[in-house]
Amino acid sequence: DVKVTQSSRYLVKRTGEKVFLECVQDMDHENMFWYRQDPGLGLRLIYFSYDVKMKEKGDIPEGYSVSREKKERFSLILESASTNQTSMYLCASISYSGRGVNEKLFFGSGTQLSVL
Amino acid sequence: GQNIDQPTEMTATEGAIVQINCTYQTSGFNGLFWYQQHAGEAPTFLSYNVLDGLEEKGRFSSFLSRSKGYSYLLLKELQMKDSASYLCAVGTGGFKTIFGAGTRLFVKA
């Protein structure tokens, strides 16, 4: 079974702090994603990476950055946390089939971040 | 713009059948996904449709009409453990997937 592991289940930080959310997958997937999930809004894509050191902005990248130094690890960075970044953060990975169709996402268990 | 609509909440009775509808308008289409998410847990894949028609997998079936921008998830013989959120999502190409806000299903005894 594919395993996507997020380092923290719950995190509480203060406004202005730099926050690192870590994600590791064990299936050698090329593509990794960070989403945030808010009630009534669904999952929204923050950033994704299709290869080591490669990144693309998603729909809501403002206030976030990412790092992919190794294939299995994708980090989300909140440069200066703000209260509106309180949310559930979900990491996901996907393999590339080469068939030109979207593949299903494998999700981590999520990190509930509270910024006070 | 890109939009995926699904009902916010539904309630059904154990043993019954429930249909969760999803309509979408997206700039690209590489398939429609349904995910199940129990409270406090990660979403897990349920089904995938890329061609029109019905895909059946045990108690769960998913239907797609690309011309209408419409899909539904059908859950039969409902069980209490089916109480969860059901997320409709569209693959828009380039590895991107757009999600609806999810439908919270409550199964009552």
Side-chain angles (χ1 to χ4, degrees), chain B residues 10 20 54-55 62-64 68-69 79-80 87 93-94 105:
Chain B
M10 298 182 72
I20 303 173
L54 189 68
E55 294 278 344
S62 56
F63 171 83
L64 175 67
K68 294 182 179 176
Q79 302 175 10
M80 300 298 287
L87 313 181
L105 175 65

Side-chain angles (χ1 to χ4, degrees), chain A residues 9 33 37 96 100 102 105 108, chain B residues 30 35 37 40 42 93 95-97:
Chain A
R9 188 73 180 90
F33 305 79
Q37 185 175 30
Y96 176 59
N102 278 79
L105 290 158
Chain B
N30 266 5
Y35 289 85
Q37 186 179 25
F95 310 115
K96 289 186 73 173
T97 305

Side-chain angles (χ1 to χ4, degrees), chain A residues 9 31 33 35 37 40-43 45 48 50 58-59 90 94 96 100-105 107-109, chain B residues 30-31 33 35 37 40-45 48 50 87 91-102:
Chain A
R9 188 73 180 90
N31 308 289
F33 305 79
Y35 287 88
Q37 185 175 30
L41 295 177
L43 277 77
L45 182 64
F48 67 101
Y50 51 90
D59 300 316
L90 288 163
I94 216 173
Y96 176 59
V101 295
N102 278 79
E103 297 289 341
K104 64 183 179 185
L105 290 158
F107 286 91
S109 297
Chain B
N30 266 5
F33 299 83
Y35 289 85
Q37 186 179 25
E41 297 183 11
T44 55
F45 170 78
Y48 173 67
V50 68
L87 313 181
T92 59
F95 310 115
K96 289 186 73 173
T97 305
I98 298 174
F99 286 81

Side-chain angles (χ1 to χ4, degrees), chain B residues 4-22:
Chain B
I4 299 177
D5 287 318
Q6 53 182 130
T8 304
E9 284 185 4
M10 298 182 72
T11 300
T13 305
E14 195 175 17
I17 299 173
V18 71
Q19 178 175 312
I20 303 173
N21 295 322
C22 170

Side-chain angles (χ1 to χ4, degrees), chain A residues 34-94:
Chain A
W34 275 106
Y35 287 88
R36 63 177 283 176
Q37 185 175 30
D38 300 287
L41 295 177
L43 277 77
R44 292 179 290 165
L45 182 64
I46 305 171
Y47 264 98
F48 67 101
S49 168
Y50 51 90
D51 202 350
V52 174
K53 297 193 186 295
M54 306 302 286
K55 60 186 179 185
E56 291 278 346
K57 292 181 180 179
D59 300 316
I60 51 163
E62 297 78 20
Y64 303 95
S65 62
V66 289
S67 172
R68 186 122 180 247
E69 296 297 318
K70 293 184 178 181
K71 191 175 185 179
E72 67 270 19
R73 186 179 297 270
F74 191 35
S75 303
L76 180 70
I77 303 154
L78 286 67
E79 298 290 343
S80 176
S82 64
T83 54
N84 64 11
Q85 292 179 310
T86 291
S87 186
M88 171 68 82
Y89 289 88
L90 288 163
C91 175
S93 73
I94 216 173

